[in-house]
Amino acid sequence: MTRASLDKQPHEVASMFDEVAANYDLTNDVLSLGQARRWRKEVAKAVNARPAEKVLDLAAGTATSSLTFAATGAYVVPCDFSLGMLREGKKRHGWMPFTAGDATKLPFADEVFDAVTISFGLRNVQDTDLALRELYRVTKPGGRVVICEFSHPTWAPFRTVYEEYLMRALPPTARAVSSNPDAYVYLAESIRDWPDQPALAARLQRAGWSKVAWRDLTGGVVALHRGVRA
């Protein structure tokens, strides 16, 4: 699958991530021009995991993001639907409770987690609204959600340059560093077609989340959305 579409097939997307698992973190650092690490730090601040809290890190991949939460003393569950990503993560961090799961049908009971988070994975889910409701379902009352996702730059001239980079520069760069460069064509298109910041905030509210807000990172290339379960 190399073309982004609104009818994303879960098995196709999972297979795509299986193929890029080994070099995924390195490729992200290169393609984001080093910004990926800064974005992960901002997610960790927003989640604000505390000792003994239970945190769901959805679309965790190899659990690079999960390590920061675990370092606070929280109990973190890295969850992903790509078995390739989970296997690669387990090789690196065998002590973590990696769990296979689909965002639209999470394998957890109601009201389990103090915080739920997903970074750069929501746009790959077949049914975004169902995933937001599932995150709500597994969160305790008073718990929080943090979504980090590519978004739309707020300054028009920069937005034009950014979109040119996505569609022209990213694929050849991916060919140089990735085991499956076609996957990054799909990812570039999925970023371009993703809803803007207010649209995603509205979807969070429709899923039941309250106190919804967002903060732009890198001029809106990435947005951090937050919400609370009443």
Side-chain angles (χ1 to χ4, degrees), residues 11 72 82 95 140 165 176 191 228:
H11 67 280
T72 69
S82 165
W95 54 275
K140 296 176 182 178
Y165 168 74
I191 292 167
V228 174

Side-chain angles (χ1 to χ4, degrees), residues 44-175:
K45 287 183 200 173
V47 171
N48 191 27
R50 295 184 284 274
E53 283 193 327
K54 292 180 180 177
V55 178
L56 172 62
D57 189 9
L58 188 56
T62 60
T64 300
S65 55
S66 306
L67 293 173
T68 305
F69 306 134
T72 69
Y75 178 78
V76 186
V77 178
C79 182
D80 204 290
F81 71 162
S82 165
L83 296 181
M85 285 286 190
L86 295 173
R87 291 190 192 101
E88 186 66 28
K90 198 68 176 175
K91 282 193 279 185
R92 302 178 191 181
H93 318 294
W95 54 275
M96 298 198 80
F98 287 89
T99 303
D102 185 332
T104 62
K105 194 174 183 180
L106 292 172
F108 307 109
D110 296 351
E111 302 181 5
V112 172
F113 295 99
D114 298 284
V116 295
T117 183
I118 179 170
S119 293
F120 307 112
L122 190 59
R123 74 183 189 286
N124 298 317
V125 177
Q126 187 176 38
D127 189 332
T128 302
D129 296 317
L130 180 54
L132 293 176
R133 293 196 298 273
E134 273 290 276
L135 286 170
Y136 185 90
R137 178 183 67 78
V138 302
T139 303
K140 296 176 182 178
R144 56 210 185 272
V145 63
V146 174
I147 296 171
C148 181
E149 189 53 88
F150 288 108
S151 198
H152 296 265
T154 53
W155 188 46
F158 176 53
R159 184 164 59 244
T160 301
V161 171
Y162 173 65
E163 290 177 354
E164 287 291 312
Y165 168 74
L166 276 179
M167 302 315 301
R168 296 192 181 186
L170 190 148
T173 304
R175 277 193 288 275

